[in-house]
Amino acid sequence: MLRKMGEAVARVARKVNETVESGSDTLELAECALLTTPVGIFKICSSMSGDLHLITLANNELKSLTSKFMTTFCQLRELRLEGNFLHRLPSEVSTLQHLKAIDLSRNQFHDFPEQLTTLPALETINLEENEIVDVPVEKLAAMPALRSINLRFNPLNAEVRVIAPPLIKFDMLMSPEGARAPPP
């Protein structure tokens, strides 16, 4: 067990160092068995946080993100968090004023993360395979850049299904009522 944890820590350190040394605008930490965002990432990447445009933390075991994560990487254009155990976002997600795409699919959201509706550059939201029932349709309709929202395989209430289509000017992907997500 300790050996496995040590290997995971070494893999994360190696990926962070590769990003810093190459000057890449992408930090790829998918499938690293992360339970939290390592504090070392903030220290190592703080000098280049404005240059990071994509962070992938997909398929880990994250239950939450810290406010420090949001404020440190406020220049992000894309954030990939699919396949974790997230159920909410910190209010500081509103600092991501340049964010164009966020993937929160296959998490544990019961409530739509309404802070996303305050992001002026946001074009794509993926919330597929969560437990969302209600959606702030009016707030989404007022988002200037929104082009697509994926809500497939969420137990959306009938009201959302009826109200949304005439109000929105973007693609809203929904599964047929009662549809179940495919097995993993």
Side-chain angles (χ1 to χ4, degrees):
M1 175 80 154
L2 286 176
R3 182 174 183 216
K4 200 173 195 180
M5 286 174 54
E7 290 170 359
V9 169
R11 185 171 58 246
V12 168
R14 190 171 48 255
K15 288 182 173 197
V16 170
N17 285 334
E18 287 170 4
T19 298
V20 172
E21 289 172 7
S22 70
S24 174
D25 69 347
T26 301
L27 179 57
E28 172 66 51
L29 294 176
E31 300 178 12
C32 288
L34 294 174
L35 299 172
T36 62
T37 311
V39 175
I41 290 176
F42 302 119
K43 292 178 181 174
I44 295 169
C45 293
S46 63
S47 64
M48 63 175 298
S49 63
D51 299 327
L52 283 174
H53 292 155
L54 166 61
I55 294 181
T56 300
L57 293 165
N59 303 315
N60 281 292
E61 298 174 29
L62 298 172
K63 292 183 180 171
S64 65
L65 290 174
T66 64
S67 56
K68 184 171 183 166
F69 177 88
M70 297 297 171
T71 56
T72 299
F73 301 111
C74 61
Q75 296 298 315
L76 283 179
R77 304 286 190 277
E78 186 174 351
L79 183 55
R80 300 197 54 212
L81 297 163
E82 68 269 21
N84 281 288
F85 299 103
L86 299 171
H87 58 84
R88 66 176 184 79
L89 294 174
S91 61
E92 290 80 5
V93 75
S94 64
T95 64
L96 301 177
Q97 295 292 300
H98 305 285
L99 194 68
K100 291 180 180 257
I102 189 164
D103 190 340
L104 296 165
S105 61
R106 298 184 336 273
N107 273 284
Q108 296 179 350
F109 286 90
H110 289 271
D111 297 317
F112 185 93
E114 286 198 40
Q115 310 96 308
L116 296 178
T117 64
T118 66
L119 301 178
L122 196 56
E123 297 174 358
T124 305
I125 302 170
N126 187 350
L127 282 159
E128 184 172 6
E129 288 187 52
N130 278 281
E131 295 296 321
I132 297 170
V133 174
D134 198 18
V135 177
V137 175
E138 295 83 11
K139 289 180 179 181
L140 290 169
M143 292 177 70
L146 191 60
R147 291 186 184 158
S148 173
I149 182 168
N150 183 349
L151 292 165
R152 287 187 287 215
F153 303 114
N154 278 281
L156 298 171
N157 68 35
E159 190 174 300
V160 170
R161 295 173 179 281
V162 173
I163 291 175
L167 290 178
I168 59 174
K169 58 187 179 292
F170 52 85
D171 293 329
M172 182 181 265
L173 306 173
M174 296 183 278
S175 298
E177 205 165 347
R180 299 207 181 267

